[in-house]
PDB file of all heavy atoms in Angstrom:
ATOM      1  N   THR A 112     -10.761  42.006   5.544  1.00 94.00           N
ATOM      2  CA  THR A 112     -11.738  42.657   6.262  1.00 94.00           C
ATOM      3  C   THR A 112     -12.143  41.977   7.569  1.00 94.00           C
ATOM      4  O   THR A 112     -11.888  40.813   7.814  1.00 94.00           O
ATOM      5  CB  THR A 112     -12.989  42.895   5.411  1.00 94.00           C
ATOM      6  OG1 THR A 112     -13.345  41.544   4.918  1.00 94.00           O
ATOM      7  CG2 THR A 112     -12.792  43.866   4.217  1.00 94.00           C
ATOM      8  N   GLU A 113     -12.858  42.749   8.384  1.00 95.00           N
ATOM      9  CA  GLU A 113     -13.327  42.266   9.689  1.00 95.00           C
ATOM     10  C   GLU A 113     -14.044  40.886   9.513  1.00 95.00           C
ATOM     11  O   GLU A 113     -13.739  39.889  10.281  1.00 95.00           O
ATOM     12  CB  GLU A 113     -14.185  43.261  10.382  1.00 95.00           C
ATOM     13  CG  GLU A 113     -13.769  43.611  11.764  1.00 95.00           C
ATOM     14  CD  GLU A 113     -14.680  44.822  12.340  1.00 95.00           C
ATOM     15  OE1 GLU A 113     -14.235  46.001  11.878  1.00 95.00           O
ATOM     16  OE2 GLU A 113     -15.544  44.612  12.993  1.00 95.00           O
ATOM     17  N   ASP A 114     -15.086  40.883   8.594  1.00 97.00           N
ATOM     18  CA  ASP A 114     -15.827  39.669   8.441  1.00 97.00           C
ATOM     19  C   ASP A 114     -14.992  38.426   7.934  1.00 97.00           C
ATOM     20  O   ASP A 114     -15.163  37.249   8.384  1.00 97.00           O
ATOM     21  CB  ASP A 114     -17.006  39.918   7.577  1.00 97.00           C
ATOM     22  CG  ASP A 114     -16.637  40.515   6.196  1.00 97.00           C
ATOM     23  OD1 ASP A 114     -15.542  40.939   5.993  1.00 97.00           O
ATOM     24  OD2 ASP A 114     -17.536  40.493   5.271  1.00 97.00           O
ATOM     25  N   LYS A 115     -13.915  38.795   7.159  1.00 98.00           N
ATOM     26  CA  LYS A 115     -13.068  37.680   6.786  1.00 98.00           C
ATOM     27  C   LYS A 115     -12.173  37.128   7.818  1.00 98.00           C
ATOM     28  O   LYS A 115     -12.005  35.914   7.919  1.00 98.00           O
ATOM     29  CB  LYS A 115     -12.240  38.089   5.501  1.00 98.00           C
ATOM     30  CG  LYS A 115     -13.021  38.280   4.301  1.00 98.00           C
ATOM     31  CD  LYS A 115     -12.153  38.749   3.041  1.00 98.00           C
ATOM     32  CE  LYS A 115     -13.035  39.353   2.004  1.00 98.00           C
ATOM     33  NZ  LYS A 115     -12.227  39.863   0.890  1.00 98.00           N
ATOM     34  N   ILE A 116     -11.674  38.105   8.647  1.00 98.00           N
ATOM     35  CA  ILE A 116     -10.889  37.581   9.802  1.00 98.00           C
ATOM     36  C   ILE A 116     -11.740  36.784  10.776  1.00 98.00           C
ATOM     37  O   ILE A 116     -11.330  35.831  11.363  1.00 98.00           O
ATOM     38  CB  ILE A 116     -10.268  38.808  10.521  1.00 98.00           C
ATOM     39  CG1 ILE A 116      -9.198  39.409   9.683  1.00 98.00           C
ATOM     40  CG2 ILE A 116      -9.683  38.381  11.894  1.00 98.00           C
ATOM     41  CD1 ILE A 116      -8.502  40.653  10.232  1.00 98.00           C
ATOM     42  N   GLU A 117     -12.990  37.163  10.986  1.00 98.00           N
ATOM     43  CA  GLU A 117     -13.989  36.447  11.735  1.00 98.00           C
ATOM     44  C   GLU A 117     -14.151  35.001  11.242  1.00 98.00           C
ATOM     45  O   GLU A 117     -14.090  33.961  12.036  1.00 98.00           O
ATOM     46  CB  GLU A 117     -15.345  37.164  11.814  1.00 98.00           C
ATOM     47  CG  GLU A 117     -16.362  36.593  12.795  1.00 98.00           C
ATOM     48  CD  GLU A 117     -15.802  36.518  14.252  1.00 98.00           C
ATOM     49  OE1 GLU A 117     -15.002  37.379  14.623  1.00 98.00           O
ATOM     50  OE2 GLU A 117     -16.065  35.505  14.855  1.00 98.00           O
ATOM     51  N   VAL A 118     -14.199  34.878   9.935  1.00 98.00           N
ATOM     52  CA  VAL A 118     -14.350  33.538   9.232  1.00 98.00           C
ATOM     53  C   VAL A 118     -13.060  32.786   9.554  1.00 98.00           C
ATOM     54  O   VAL A 118     -13.141  31.530   9.900  1.00 98.00           O
ATOM     55  CB  VAL A 118     -14.563  33.672   7.810  1.00 98.00           C
ATOM     56  CG1 VAL A 118     -14.347  32.335   7.016  1.00 98.00           C
ATOM     57  CG2 VAL A 118     -15.973  34.209   7.506  1.00 98.00           C
ATOM     58  N   LEU A 119     -11.969  33.373   9.527  1.00 98.00           N
ATOM     59  CA  LEU A 119     -10.659  32.587   9.680  1.00 98.00           C
ATOM     60  C   LEU A 119     -10.755  32.182  11.163  1.00 98.00           C
ATOM     61  O   LEU A 119     -10.250  31.080  11.500  1.00 98.00           O
ATOM     62  CB  LEU A 119      -9.455  33.534   9.487  1.00 98.00           C
ATOM     63  CG  LEU A 119      -9.185  33.970   8.006  1.00 98.00           C
ATOM     64  CD1 LEU A 119      -7.941  34.839   7.924  1.00 98.00           C
ATOM     65  CD2 LEU A 119      -9.026  32.763   7.108  1.00 98.00           C
ATOM     66  N   LYS A 120     -11.150  32.998  12.010  1.00 98.00           N
ATOM     67  CA  LYS A 120     -11.174  32.750  13.448  1.00 98.00           C
ATOM     68  C   LYS A 120     -11.919  31.428  13.839  1.00 98.00           C
ATOM     69  O   LYS A 120     -11.580  30.683  14.597  1.00 98.00           O
ATOM     70  CB  LYS A 120     -11.566  33.992  14.148  1.00 98.00           C
ATOM     71  CG  LYS A 120     -11.421  33.861  15.668  1.00 98.00           C
ATOM     72  CD  LYS A 120     -11.907  35.254  16.328  1.00 98.00           C
ATOM     73  CE  LYS A 120     -12.002  35.114  17.802  1.00 98.00           C
ATOM     74  NZ  LYS A 120     -12.494  36.288  18.428  1.00 98.00           N
ATOM     75  N   GLN A 121     -13.111  31.434  13.090  1.00 97.00           N
ATOM     76  CA  GLN A 121     -14.058  30.264  13.373  1.00 97.00           C
ATOM     77  C   GLN A 121     -13.520  28.983  12.658  1.00 97.00           C
ATOM     78  O   GLN A 121     -14.072  27.906  12.841  1.00 97.00           O
ATOM     79  CB  GLN A 121     -15.418  30.566  12.794  1.00 97.00           C
ATOM     80  CG  GLN A 121     -15.993  31.798  13.401  1.00 97.00           C
ATOM     81  CD  GLN A 121     -16.144  31.788  14.884  1.00 97.00           C
ATOM     82  OE1 GLN A 121     -16.392  30.698  15.515  1.00 97.00           O
ATOM     83  NE2 GLN A 121     -16.062  32.875  15.580  1.00 97.00           N
ATOM     84  N   SER A 122     -12.480  29.086  11.823  1.00 98.00           N
ATOM     85  CA  SER A 122     -12.024  27.949  11.008  1.00 98.00           C
ATOM     86  C   SER A 122     -10.841  27.212  11.627  1.00 98.00           C
ATOM     87  O   SER A 122     -10.391  27.544  12.776  1.00 98.00           O
ATOM     88  CB  SER A 122     -11.678  28.394   9.561  1.00 98.00           C
ATOM     89  OG  SER A 122     -10.429  29.029   9.691  1.00 98.00           O
ATOM     90  N   ALA A 123     -10.374  26.214  10.958  1.00 98.00           N
ATOM     91  CA  ALA A 123      -9.128  25.488  11.484  1.00 98.00           C
ATOM     92  C   ALA A 123      -7.833  26.162  11.084  1.00 98.00           C
ATOM     93  O   ALA A 123      -6.804  25.587  11.380  1.00 98.00           O
ATOM     94  CB  ALA A 123      -9.209  24.090  10.915  1.00 98.00           C
ATOM     95  N   VAL A 124      -7.917  27.340  10.275  1.00 98.00           N
ATOM     96  CA  VAL A 124      -6.699  28.023   9.942  1.00 98.00           C
ATOM     97  C   VAL A 124      -5.948  28.458  11.151  1.00 98.00           C
ATOM     98  O   VAL A 124      -6.454  28.992  12.086  1.00 98.00           O
ATOM     99  CB  VAL A 124      -6.978  29.311   9.087  1.00 98.00           C
ATOM    100  CG1 VAL A 124      -5.824  30.127   8.895  1.00 98.00           C
ATOM    101  CG2 VAL A 124      -7.534  28.858   7.702  1.00 98.00           C
ATOM    102  N   ASN A 125      -4.568  28.136  11.202  1.00 98.00           N
ATOM    103  CA  ASN A 125      -3.781  28.593  12.331  1.00 98.00           C
ATOM    104  C   ASN A 125      -2.504  29.337  11.951  1.00 98.00           C
ATOM    105  O   ASN A 125      -1.672  29.656  12.836  1.00 98.00           O
ATOM    106  CB  ASN A 125      -3.409  27.323  13.254  1.00 98.00           C
ATOM    107  CG  ASN A 125      -2.615  26.334  12.513  1.00 98.00           C
ATOM    108  OD1 ASN A 125      -2.158  26.548  11.346  1.00 98.00           O
ATOM    109  ND2 ASN A 125      -2.515  25.180  13.204  1.00 98.00           N
ATOM    110  N   ARG A 126      -2.363  29.707  10.617  1.00 98.00           N
ATOM    111  CA  ARG A 126      -1.250  30.432  10.262  1.00 98.00           C
ATOM    112  C   ARG A 126      -1.699  31.367   9.073  1.00 98.00           C
ATOM    113  O   ARG A 126      -2.322  30.870   8.182  1.00 98.00           O
ATOM    114  CB  ARG A 126      -0.184  29.538   9.802  1.00 98.00           C
ATOM    115  CG  ARG A 126       1.247  30.142   9.505  1.00 98.00           C
ATOM    116  CD  ARG A 126       2.302  29.007   9.122  1.00 98.00           C
ATOM    117  NE  ARG A 126       3.490  29.640   8.879  1.00 98.00           N
ATOM    118  CZ  ARG A 126       3.949  29.970   7.678  1.00 98.00           C
ATOM    119  NH1 ARG A 126       3.112  29.771   6.588  1.00 98.00           N
ATOM    120  NH2 ARG A 126       5.141  30.564   7.436  1.00 98.00           N
ATOM    121  N   VAL A 127      -1.266  32.527   9.121  1.00 98.00           N
ATOM    122  CA  VAL A 127      -1.610  33.461   8.018  1.00 98.00           C
ATOM    123  C   VAL A 127      -0.342  34.102   7.449  1.00 98.00           C
ATOM    124  O   VAL A 127       0.653  34.524   8.203  1.00 98.00           O
ATOM    125  CB  VAL A 127      -2.446  34.672   8.527  1.00 98.00           C
ATOM    126  CG1 VAL A 127      -2.776  35.666   7.422  1.00 98.00           C
ATOM    127  CG2 VAL A 127      -3.741  34.099   9.155  1.00 98.00           C
ATOM    128  N   SER A 128      -0.156  34.020   6.076  1.00 98.00           N
ATOM    129  CA  SER A 128       0.999  34.538   5.486  1.00 98.00           C
ATOM    130  C   SER A 128       0.591  35.779   4.661  1.00 98.00           C
ATOM    131  O   SER A 128      -0.190  35.736   3.742  1.00 98.00           O
ATOM    132  CB  SER A 128       1.607  33.445   4.543  1.00 98.00           C
ATOM    133  OG  SER A 128       2.662  34.042   3.821  1.00 98.00           O
ATOM    134  N   LEU A 129       1.063  37.033   5.073  1.00 97.00           N
ATOM    135  CA  LEU A 129       0.731  38.253   4.466  1.00 97.00           C
ATOM    136  C   LEU A 129       1.640  38.740   3.394  1.00 97.00           C
ATOM    137  O   LEU A 129       2.897  38.761   3.573  1.00 97.00           O
ATOM    138  CB  LEU A 129       0.651  39.367   5.500  1.00 97.00           C
ATOM    139  CG  LEU A 129      -0.562  39.386   6.427  1.00 97.00           C
ATOM    140  CD1 LEU A 129      -0.425  40.639   7.448  1.00 97.00           C
ATOM    141  CD2 LEU A 129      -1.939  39.523   5.664  1.00 97.00           C
ATOM    142  N   GLY A 130       1.202  39.154   2.276  1.00 94.00           N
ATOM    143  CA  GLY A 130       1.993  39.633   1.207  1.00 94.00           C
ATOM    144  C   GLY A 130       2.239  41.122   1.355  1.00 94.00           C
ATOM    145  O   GLY A 130       1.528  42.009   0.802  1.00 94.00           O
ATOM    146  N   VAL A 131       3.236  41.396   2.191  1.00 95.00           N
ATOM    147  CA  VAL A 131       3.516  42.874   2.482  1.00 95.00           C
ATOM    148  C   VAL A 131       4.461  43.461   1.445  1.00 95.00           C
ATOM    149  O   VAL A 131       4.079  44.598   0.916  1.00 95.00           O
ATOM    150  CB  VAL A 131       4.198  42.975   3.933  1.00 95.00           C
ATOM    151  CG1 VAL A 131       4.843  44.288   4.170  1.00 95.00           C
ATOM    152  CG2 VAL A 131       3.167  42.588   5.015  1.00 95.00           C
ATOM    153  N   GLN A 132       5.486  42.761   0.985  1.00 93.00           N
ATOM    154  CA  GLN A 132       6.436  43.182   0.018  1.00 93.00           C
ATOM    155  C   GLN A 132       7.314  44.345   0.347  1.00 93.00           C
ATOM    156  O   GLN A 132       8.494  44.290   0.154  1.00 93.00           O
ATOM    157  CB  GLN A 132       5.735  43.389  -1.356  1.00 93.00           C
ATOM    158  CG  GLN A 132       4.779  42.300  -1.832  1.00 93.00           C
ATOM    159  CD  GLN A 132       5.060  40.929  -1.456  1.00 93.00           C
ATOM    160  OE1 GLN A 132       6.133  40.529  -1.014  1.00 93.00           O
ATOM    161  NE2 GLN A 132       4.117  40.085  -1.770  1.00 93.00           N
ATOM    162  N   THR A 133       6.743  45.551   0.787  1.00 93.00           N
ATOM    163  CA  THR A 133       7.624  46.519   1.320  1.00 93.00           C
ATOM    164  C   THR A 133       6.696  47.454   2.173  1.00 93.00           C
ATOM    165  O   THR A 133       5.416  47.457   2.044  1.00 93.00           O
ATOM    166  CB  THR A 133       8.161  47.411   0.163  1.00 93.00           C
ATOM    167  OG1 THR A 133       8.795  48.565   0.712  1.00 93.00           O
ATOM    168  CG2 THR A 133       7.152  47.818  -0.839  1.00 93.00           C
ATOM    169  N   PHE A 134       7.291  48.202   2.999  1.00 95.00           N
ATOM    170  CA  PHE A 134       6.475  49.223   3.950  1.00 95.00           C
ATOM    171  C   PHE A 134       6.521  50.597   3.290  1.00 95.00           C
ATOM    172  O   PHE A 134       5.826  51.453   3.794  1.00 95.00           O
ATOM    173  CB  PHE A 134       7.127  49.273   5.264  1.00 95.00           C
ATOM    174  CG  PHE A 134       7.062  48.054   6.140  1.00 95.00           C
ATOM    175  CD1 PHE A 134       8.000  47.018   6.006  1.00 95.00           C
ATOM    176  CD2 PHE A 134       5.950  47.795   6.939  1.00 95.00           C
ATOM    177  CE1 PHE A 134       7.857  45.835   6.817  1.00 95.00           C
ATOM    178  CE2 PHE A 134       5.799  46.618   7.651  1.00 95.00           C
ATOM    179  CZ  PHE A 134       6.819  45.653   7.612  1.00 95.00           C
ATOM    180  N   ASN A 135       7.093  50.763   2.126  1.00 91.00           N
ATOM    181  CA  ASN A 135       7.242  52.065   1.569  1.00 91.00           C
ATOM    182  C   ASN A 135       6.131  52.211   0.638  1.00 91.00           C
ATOM    183  O   ASN A 135       5.969  51.698  -0.410  1.00 91.00           O
ATOM    184  CB  ASN A 135       8.583  52.074   0.828  1.00 91.00           C
ATOM    185  CG  ASN A 135       8.925  53.387   0.164  1.00 91.00           C
ATOM    186  OD1 ASN A 135       8.103  53.881  -0.457  1.00 91.00           O
ATOM    187  ND2 ASN A 135      10.053  53.871   0.452  1.00 91.00           N
TER     188      ASN A 135
END
Side-chain angles (χ1 to χ4, degrees):
T112 48
E113 232 169 279
D114 52 347
K115 291 180 198 176
I116 291 179
E117 190 51 41
V118 168
L119 293 184
K120 190 178 168 179
Q121 302 302 327
S122 76
V124 169
N125 58 11
R126 183 173 184 272
V127 180
S128 176
L129 282 181
V131 167
Q132 316 320 354
T133 171
F134 291 89
N135 181 312

